[in-house]
Amino acid sequence: KSAGKPVIVDFTADWCLPCKELENFTFPDKDVVELSKSFAMLKADVTTGGNVEIETLKKKFNVVGVPTIVFIGKDGVERAELRFVGFVEAPVFLGKMKGARGG
């Protein structure tokens, strides 16, 4: 919030196939990469569990499965309508990014 950027929080795990699909197909898309420069990008790795900070984030955002992608606006408030669980292709992800950015 202090940087004035929207935030994307990627809850992921090494054992998660849809997480790997996001990593290999959606996130490397050239348009996603370009637009991501206007975001603070955070990754919460839940592979092993037990990390107090990540467990706190999971509770705060009510994350029950991975991948869960949470979008937070510049105002620091989650844009719940943009959240998704599972794999989405780059065009869908770009639409959500634009929504979180404000257009």
Side-chain angles (χ1 to χ4, degrees):
K1 183 176 173 181
S2 63
K5 291 183 174 185
V7 178
I8 297 174
V9 184
D10 172 18
F11 289 88
T12 187
D14 287 346
W15 42 260
C16 167
L17 181 59
C19 299
K20 294 199 180 297
E21 290 175 322
L22 284 170
E23 288 288 331
N24 291 317
F25 301 112
T26 303
F27 297 157
D29 178 88
K30 65 178 178 53
D31 295 327
V32 170
V33 170
E34 186 59 34
L35 189 54
S36 71
K37 294 174 184 174
S38 64
F39 284 80
M41 306 287 289
L42 304 175
K43 186 173 293 231
D45 187 348
V46 302
T47 299
T48 57
N51 179 300
V52 175
E53 291 173 341
I54 292 176
E55 293 301 320
T56 301
L57 277 177
K58 282 176 58 181
K59 286 180 185 171
K60 177 178 180 173
F61 292 108
N62 195 28
V63 172
V64 295
V66 290
T68 296
I69 307 295
V70 175
F71 294 87
I72 302 168
K74 293 177 187 178
D75 58 0
V77 176
E78 180 187 357
R79 298 286 308 274
E81 75 279 9
L82 301 174
R83 174 193 287 235
F84 68 90
V85 178
F87 172 75
V88 297
E89 293 183 354
V92 173
F93 191 71
L94 280 166
K96 292 178 178 288
M97 291 175 79
K98 289 175 182 175
R101 190 184 64 176

